Amino acid sequence: MEPIQFKMVQEPSCCGQSSAKQATDDKQHFSKKEIGLGIGAIVVWAFIYTQLELWANYTAFDLFGFSKGSHLGEPIAFFLYDTPKVLLLLTIVVFGVGIIRSFFTPERTRKILMGKRESVGNVLAALLGIVTPFCSCSAVPLFLGFVSAGVPLGVTFSFLISAPMVNEIALALLYGLFGWKVAAIYLSTGLLIAMIAGWIIGKLRMEGHLEDWVHEIRAVDAAQEEGQKNWSDRIRYGLDAVKDIVGKVWKWVVLGIAVGAAIHGYVPEGFMASIMGKNSWWAVPVSVIIGIPMYSNAAGIIPVVQALLDKGAALGTVLAFMMSVIALSLPEAIILRQVLKPTLIATFFGVVGVGILLVGYIFNLLI
Amino acid sequence: MNIKVLGPGCKKCHETERLVKEVVREIGCDATVEYITDIAKIAKYGVFSTPAIIIDGQIKSAGRIPAKQDIKSWLGK
């Protein structure tokens, strides 16, 4: 079939007037009021963030009168502290990442990746996976757009692995609940898995395992120009991201922290050591397998997992579980089945799964 | 005038379709709105982030729910 070419059609004549250009000129610079509001918001954010622990302890122990170290008091203090903390962090991280993402579109990322050699391409694709706006529901059109434009298959996979795995929600939660070290470990090992797994898939030369109709699609140069974004647009983009993402995941975060808090208070110390501890070799693969069908609850799972870590689960096992939850999702596999033959999907899950296993084992050995 | 909303059926895609139809109704524009979910077709339009809007063969937006104001300006209002 012939690819459909786009002609630059004249201004739409539908309703007479043609004023398509006007809208972009309306929203230009910030007013003093907007700048003031922005600075005010940051100051309020920082103030609340630094006072949280104080307020949580005051509410739990002084206002409600629970005694410190009690079964009920500790989890309540934990919940009152961690819920607002994580939500505040999530808001600021999602906003920041939203602003960075306003500089990248899938179209621009494709342009960067086109004609790159495999190894360099894998590294770039994994990094771009973090900053390019991506929703798993458009994984297939994106895949087709990349492959049809001559981005190597392995490089495309590096992008597809990194984009969901290294995401701002996971990073904000990890930073808030585990500290920056675990967040950094997650970020770097996640990127490494995306780079290497994509590189391996490229080396396996699996182009023949794409569905046949995929080969018929030829690149169409998307003639779409979004137009220059100014800073006011970017800030709006960031705010939209906050509304969209935080609005969606906050319930999972609250639920997750509540369950986590209950575990903190009621599950005995060392309980998890026998199940998810260092010495049970099978814990890592079992965690990876359990993680595959879990997807939408990623935001809720991290707080639970943090509580488990506190009760003696090993860090490597916990990392492997989180990566599997976030990176290997059954719904995504079903979506990708439209363009990939089963062998290639199995290879994709296999290679990434082995990478996650290795991360789990290595951290259990090292720490 | 022909408006196509492209999307594999995600929440954002439905939201975009609803918004486009709403704008068309509001400004009383004589346009047909199509909703295309077939992945192969979407790919052939050269769109690779959804939801996308194509008006008379021209890609107007991709990968986001456009603002109502933007849709209006694309329709010439």
Side-chain angles (χ1 to χ4, degrees):
Chain A
M1 252 208 246
E2 281 298 303
I4 292 160
Q5 298 292 343
F6 294 104
K7 283 189 211 111
M8 295 299 283
V9 179
Q10 291 300 306
E11 291 292 344
S13 55
C14 164
C15 304
Q17 292 110 335
S18 53
S19 53
K21 284 199 193 85
Q22 225 169 36
T24 45
D25 297 329
D26 291 342
K27 36 184 180 183
Q28 280 297 325
H29 299 288
F30 299 108
S31 64
K32 277 187 186 139
K33 198 177 144 203
E34 280 173 313
I35 296 173
L37 270 176
I39 295 172
I42 292 169
V43 171
V44 169
W45 188 95
F47 177 73
I48 297 177
Y49 190 78
T50 50
Q51 301 300 312
L52 277 177
E53 192 158 18
L54 219 66
W55 290 344
N57 285 337
Y58 174 78
T59 314
F61 302 124
D62 297 329
L63 208 63
F64 292 166
F66 294 110
S67 58
K68 277 196 180 176
S70 69
H71 268 319
L72 203 55
E74 284 299 326
I76 285 178
F78 174 83
F79 179 79
L80 288 178
Y81 173 52
D82 270 35
T83 312
K85 182 175 92 169
V86 167
L87 289 176
L88 278 175
L89 274 173
L90 198 61
T91 307
I92 202 120
V93 170
V94 167
F95 179 67
V97 172
I99 293 211
I100 297 172
R101 283 196 178 150
S102 71
F103 288 91
F104 293 85
T105 59
E107 288 79 6
R108 182 181 270 187
T109 295
R110 178 172 80 165
K111 228 173 246 168
I112 298 172
L113 292 178
M114 262 157 62
K116 284 282 180 307
R117 280 187 301 120
E118 293 234 296
S119 43
V120 181
N122 290 119
V123 173
L124 267 177
L127 291 171
L128 285 167
I130 312 176
V131 292
T132 309
F134 172 81
C135 139
S136 63
C137 64
S138 54
V140 165
L142 188 120
F143 181 89
L144 291 169
F146 276 29
V147 170
S148 67
V151 177
L153 189 63
V155 174
T156 307
F157 266 106
S158 278
F159 180 88
L160 275 184
I161 296 165
S162 142
M165 176 143 69
V166 189
N167 73 71
E168 69 277 22
I169 302 171
L171 284 177
L173 281 158
L174 288 174
Y175 176 77
L177 293 168
F178 291 81
W180 68 269
K181 272 185 197 155
V182 174
I185 289 173
Y186 182 84
L187 174 73
S188 43
T189 50
L191 281 174
L192 217 58
I193 289 178
M195 290 169 192
I196 296 171
W199 184 79
I200 292 174
I201 292 173
K203 284 286 160 214
L204 291 174
R205 301 255 154 265
M206 300 198 70
E207 281 77 4
H209 293 277
L210 299 174
E211 286 295 339
D212 299 327
W213 64 270
V214 172
H215 297 288
E216 289 166 16
I217 298 204
R218 257 156 293 163
V220 181
D221 194 21
Q224 176 217 8
E225 274 306 319
E226 285 261 344
Q228 274 320 102
K229 285 197 191 87
N230 57 37
W231 270 99
S232 141
D233 290 333
R234 297 190 196 286
I235 286 175
R236 220 157 264 141
Y237 192 93
L239 290 175
D240 280 347
V242 169
K243 226 191 299 172
D244 189 36
I245 296 175
V246 180
K248 207 161 52 191
V249 304
W250 72 269
K251 355 182 202 330
W252 293 112
V253 173
V254 173
L255 191 72
I257 296 177
V259 174
I263 295 175
H264 273 296
Y266 290 95
V267 174
E269 291 295 321
F271 174 77
M272 291 309 291
S274 56
I275 307 170
M276 283 177 95
K278 272 188 192 183
N279 298 322
S280 39
W281 64 269
W282 45 267
V284 181
V286 167
S287 301
V288 172
I289 290 168
I290 296 175
I292 293 177
M294 296 186 181
Y295 175 68
S296 52
N297 311 4
I301 276 167
I302 293 174
V304 176
V305 155
Q306 191 254 351
L308 296 181
L309 195 71
D310 202 44
K311 301 293 174 187
L315 181 65
T317 312
V318 162
L319 269 179
F321 178 62
M322 279 189 296
M323 285 188 168
S324 166
V325 168
I326 300 172
L328 296 176
S329 82
L330 217 50
E332 200 190 347
I334 294 167
I335 293 173
L336 284 173
R337 176 66 191 85
Q338 293 173 291
V339 280
L340 310 179
K341 288 185 180 163
T343 337
L344 186 46
I345 292 192
T347 312
F348 166 43
F349 270 57
V351 172
V352 177
V354 169
I356 295 174
L357 274 183
L358 287 176
V359 166
Y361 281 126
I362 289 170
F363 277 101
N364 281 354
L365 277 178
L366 287 180
I367 299 170
Chain B
M1 184 171 209
N2 180 280
I3 306 171
K4 293 185 182 75
V5 179
L6 288 73
C10 54
K11 211 177 137 204
K12 282 186 185 171
C13 310
H14 287 300
E15 174 65 21
T16 307
E17 187 206 10
R18 196 190 58 74
L19 212 61
V20 168
K21 283 191 169 157
E22 192 181 299
V23 171
V24 167
R25 216 177 318 114
E26 260 176 38
I27 63 178
C29 174
D30 183 28
T32 50
V33 181
E34 281 179 78
Y35 184 48
I36 296 173
T37 51
D38 184 1
I39 293 283
K41 265 194 194 154
I42 293 176
K44 280 177 189 135
Y45 282 112
V47 161
F48 52 96
S49 45
T50 53
I53 296 180
I54 295 182
I55 298 177
D56 285 341
Q58 199 180 358
I59 304 177
K60 288 294 186 184
S61 98
R64 65 195 173 93
I65 303 176
K68 221 169 159 182
Q69 198 54 49
D70 290 336
I71 303 178
K72 274 185 190 161
S73 76
W74 297 329
L75 294 178
K77 271 273 179 180

